[in-house]
Amino acid sequence: MKNKNVADLDYCKLSLRNEYAALMEKADSCLSLSELFARDPERGERLRCQAAGLTLDYSKQSITDEVFEELLKLADSCQLPRHINKLFGGDIVNLSEDKAALHTALRTPAEVLPDELGMISAELDKLAQLVFKIQQGVWRGFSGKRITDVVNLGVGGSDLGPLMVSHALDEYRDEGGKNLKVHFASSMDGSQLFQLMEHLAPESTLFIVSSKSFTTIDTLSNAQTVRDWLGHYCSDEAMLLRCHFIGVSANRNRMTQWGIHSENQLEFWSWVGGRFSLWSAIGLPIALSVGVFAFRRLLAGAFQMDLHFRSAPLAENLPVIMALLGVWNVSFRDIRAHAILPYDGRLKFFPSYLEQLEMESNGKSVTQLGEPVDYMTCPVLWGEVGTNAQHAFYQLLHQGTQPVVSDFIIAASRYDGPVQQPHQDALLKQHDLNISNCLAQSRVLAFGAGEQPGLLNSFRHYPGNQPSSTLVLNRLEPESMGALIAAYEHKVFCQAVIWGINPFDQWGVEQGKEVAVKLQSILQPGYDGSEPVDSSTQALAALIRQQRNKK
Ligand code: F6P
């Protein structure tokens, strides 16, 4: 890793850049989407970018060619290409923690990795061996039975990425993966675990304790609960630890202290951010489900997006365009809500994965140099499978008072691929129905519908002019999934560069964790009132203690 070079601290407030005022002015005189399309019949064809099996249609974004040019100038003035090189070159890009962010190295083929990063391939090989042993039944539980169930215990980046991808690629399970059920438990209250423990057989269940820091209380409390649970069935603790726990962490010492057997430890490194870690050994649940071959295909797809991102000119660079559109919408047009709408049940967990990726990364209000910003940064991001969301929150998108930008995500082909489906014809029809719903929704959001408002028909009026992008995957497969995730990762990085903020720290979250530890004592029955807390927290804790006494 390279040293921080103070001369490189070229982050500054977006509002101090020359392009800021020009873009603000343009945002004030924005044409409606209907007008933009009326003026340019080629717009739908023109505003499109393709890379690594993905097509981004951004014709329904409220931008003109002049705005786009100005946004590109802004990216230039922020020296975006130089920052991209620094990211990939292992420079210190996370200034507050003095760290590089080299998640892209995790998906770089071994042949082109620099020698000093050789440990990445070694760890991937170790992961492959573990997967083989578990899938093939070489790995046995304490009673000698093969493993039938694996539970990933982790939270945040140690849960959302593997959960999301395992679900998305479920149809690509290999033979070994079909013998295993992979489960996820993240909630600190133990409720997910509780449900699992009701059904799982301890002797054939393996737990992955996944935690970059190996200090996160959510994960460690779940891990302790299952350790105690297993202890009821087998009194040989050393055997339990050897046969039923794998640890994945950047903190080997902590894994060892907890009791993870050295051969069962998979390591990654402090320069991989938690929310960027699914490409590391944190991806073990993915490899267990779909096999190591498909896991490597996922990495290969992400690498293709990396190559594009590093080499394509800014005006044709898919993640850069996504980033610029985002900056335009939130910082200049004041659109503070961003909906993620995959029209594909396999991408059910993609919105929650992106919530962490985007909001934990860019939910910041000071620059890399610690100065407060005076413009909007990350919008509120949320989402749902599109067709379900249509019956939940689309009403607000169509007729509410909030401007909302949306990302629609679809796979062009489905059910006709290498994996044969039963009832294929019916499913193909359903896929078309699904896609037509997606197209219909983005269209109505953009152009509106219904009569002009009048006394009687104003309820039926859809004003339109809600911007959106549509991301089309040729097919949802390991490579395109990898490319899709990498595109969003790079989008987040580019936005951070333009906003002048650090996307790789999360100090706000750390604070909450510390406060929670301090507050544990105030729930205890004999609490002596010694903790200096506000009256609301004090009263709530008293109420909880009282309610507990009643039963
Ligand atoms: O929620 C904050 C956070 O620090 C995330 O950034 C991280 O992904 C998550 O906690 C889990 O952390 P760890 O992997 O260290 O248990």
Side-chain angles (χ1 to χ4, degrees):
M1 271 0 75
K2 297 178 188 166
N3 287 329
K4 176 159 67 182
N5 177 355
V6 179
D8 277 352
L9 299 182
D10 50 1
Y11 292 88
C12 88
K13 286 188 194 175
L14 166 63
S15 50
L16 296 179
R17 301 205 179 266
N18 290 339
E19 297 75 16
Y20 185 75
L23 281 162
M24 271 298 185
E25 208 171 293
K26 290 192 192 312
D28 283 343
S29 54
C30 237
L31 293 176
S32 73
L33 284 166
S34 300
E35 286 164 320
L36 288 170
F37 273 83
R39 285 178 181 207
D40 177 7
E42 313 278 288
R43 188 178 169 88
E45 289 275 319
R46 234 168 29 83
L47 301 196
R48 177 185 291 183
C49 178
Q50 286 184 311
L54 257 62
T55 304
L56 171 74
D57 171 301
Y58 57 102
S59 59
K60 296 194 193 78
Q61 290 283 353
S62 307
I63 51 159
T64 57
D65 292 351
E66 295 75 49
V67 169
F68 193 59
E69 283 304 316
E70 201 62 41
L71 287 167
L72 290 172
K73 276 198 223 157
L74 173 65
D76 260 333
S77 99
C78 299
Q79 305 195 44
L80 186 55
R82 199 165 81 88
H83 284 282
I84 295 173
N85 282 336
K86 284 165 66 172
L87 176 75
F88 282 86
D91 285 30
I92 303 295
V93 288
N94 174 355
L95 300 187
S96 74
E97 295 180 324
D98 202 18
K99 285 183 193 162
L102 261 180
H103 46 280
T104 52
L106 301 168
R107 55 230 191 188
T108 302
E111 315 81 77
V112 284
L113 260 184
D115 288 348
E116 77 231 46
L117 293 174
M119 66 281 201
I120 294 176
S121 336
E123 217 53 24
L124 189 53
D125 290 345
K126 185 168 177 189
L127 173 144
Q129 282 163 17
L130 286 179
V131 171
F132 176 83
K133 279 197 203 162
I134 298 162
Q135 283 194 340
Q136 300 307 314
V138 179
W139 185 301
R140 299 279 161 154
F142 64 79
S143 68
K145 286 208 169 153
R146 69 182 288 159
I147 299 299
T148 55
D149 294 83
V150 178
V151 184
N152 189 74
L153 305 175
V155 71
S158 304
D159 168 68
L160 292 166
L163 168 68
M164 182 272 287
V165 177
S166 304
H167 188 81
L169 299 182
D170 191 59
E171 288 167 14
Y172 289 86
R173 268 174 187 273
D174 66 351
E175 279 313 309
K178 283 180 186 152
N179 296 327
L180 278 178
K181 287 196 204 73
V182 180
H183 315 268
F184 292 83
S186 58
S187 73
M188 192 195 277
D189 68 344
S191 54
Q192 292 166 319
L193 260 191
F194 181 74
Q195 282 179 355
L196 285 172
M197 289 188 304
E198 294 241 297
H199 303 289
L200 295 179
E203 58 191 340
S204 55
T205 303
L206 174 67
F207 294 91
I208 307 172
V209 187
S210 244
S211 172
K212 180 181 171 185
S213 57
F214 227 79
T215 58
T216 305
I217 190 71
D218 317 43
T219 303
L220 292 185
S221 56
N222 278 332
Q224 191 55 51
T225 298
V226 295
R227 191 167 167 171
D228 295 346
W229 176 67
L230 287 166
H232 290 298
Y233 300 90
C234 170
S235 55
D236 183 344
E237 176 139 72
M239 179 183 258
L240 276 187
L241 288 167
R242 205 176 53 247
C243 302
H244 292 272
F245 288 97
I246 289 179
V248 183
S249 181
N251 193 337
R252 218 178 243 290
N253 287 343
R254 288 268 184 177
M255 280 198 275
T256 306
Q257 274 164 22
W258 194 85
I260 303 283
H261 197 274
S262 61
E263 280 171 26
N264 297 358
Q265 296 184 5
L266 286 170
E267 201 183 1
F268 64 110
W269 305 274
S270 67
W271 38 262
V272 180
R275 50 194 173 273
F276 299 87
S277 65
L278 71 88
W279 322 101
S280 71
I282 289 288
L284 176 62
I286 306 170
L288 283 168
S289 310
V290 301
V292 173
F293 180 65
F295 185 61
R296 287 186 192 273
R297 288 176 60 192
L298 177 85
L299 302 185
F303 179 66
Q304 285 309 314
M305 184 54 77
D306 294 343
L307 287 178
H308 163 81
F309 179 53
R310 292 183 78 174
S311 60
L314 297 183
E316 294 157 32
N317 194 313
L318 191 141
V320 171
I321 296 174
M322 286 169 74
L324 293 176
L325 294 169
V327 170
W328 169 241
N329 284 322
V330 68
S331 304
F332 297 99
R333 302 195 66 227
D334 203 25
I335 303 181
R336 301 174 187 204
H338 191 145
I340 304 296
L341 305 167
Y343 273 69
D344 197 311
R346 294 170 296 180
L347 293 176
K348 175 177 163 191
F349 295 110
F350 195 57
S352 41
Y353 166 78
L354 280 188
E355 282 166 15
Q356 187 199 15
L357 178 66
E358 299 222 6
M359 296 200 280
E360 193 166 81
S361 298
N362 285 343
K364 311 283 166 65
S365 53
V366 292
T367 66
Q368 284 264 27
L369 304 178
E371 291 175 349
V373 301
D374 49 5
Y375 41 86
M376 285 292 149
T377 59
C378 188
V380 173
L381 213 100
W382 91 110
E384 177 55 87
V385 170
T387 43
N388 293 346
Q390 284 176 206
H391 301 281
F393 58 76
Y394 270 45
Q395 170 61 36
L396 179 143
L397 307 192
H398 285 300
Q399 294 186 311
T401 50
Q402 298 279 346
V404 180
V405 59
S406 304
D407 284 3
F408 293 94
I409 305 170
I410 46 176
S413 305
R414 191 166 179 199
Y415 300 122
D416 58 347
V419 188
Q420 274 302 308
Q421 306 291 340
H423 316 297
Q424 190 140 353
D425 289 347
L427 286 168
L428 278 167
K429 267 193 206 143
Q430 281 198 251
H431 185 55
D432 279 354
L433 185 64
N434 170 60
I435 301 273
S436 59
N437 264 271
C438 176
L439 298 180
Q441 292 295 334
S442 66
R443 192 174 158 198
V444 176
L445 280 171
F447 307 118
E451 308 283 310
Q452 285 307 304
L455 215 49
L456 286 174
N457 55 19
S458 57
F459 297 115
R460 294 180 183 194
H461 178 62
Y462 290 63
N465 210 28
Q466 295 274 42
S468 69
S469 293
T470 302
L471 269 160
V472 186
L473 281 61
N474 299 343
R475 201 179 279 287
L476 179 53
E477 50 198 356
E479 288 85 352
S480 57
M481 193 64 223
L484 178 71
I485 302 166
Y488 275 96
E489 284 181 349
H490 296 324
K491 167 203 160 177
V492 163
F493 174 71
C494 294
Q495 291 189 325
V497 169
I498 295 169
W499 285 324
I501 59 178
N502 182 355
F504 299 117
D505 61 9
Q506 58 283 321
W507 296 102
V509 186
E510 311 300 341
Q511 257 302 312
K513 287 185 190 172
E514 280 171 32
V515 176
V517 171
K518 286 197 194 132
L519 284 188
Q520 274 179 33
S521 64
I522 76 172
L523 295 173
Q524 303 315 312
Y527 171 61
D528 59 5
S530 59
E531 210 44 67
V533 286
D534 61 277
S535 66
S536 168
T537 310
Q538 198 71 267
L540 279 168
L543 175 77
I544 293 161
R545 290 195 304 269
Q546 222 174 45
Q547 302 276 0
R548 284 177 179 174
N549 279 341
K550 274 190 190 157
K551 56 168 189 110

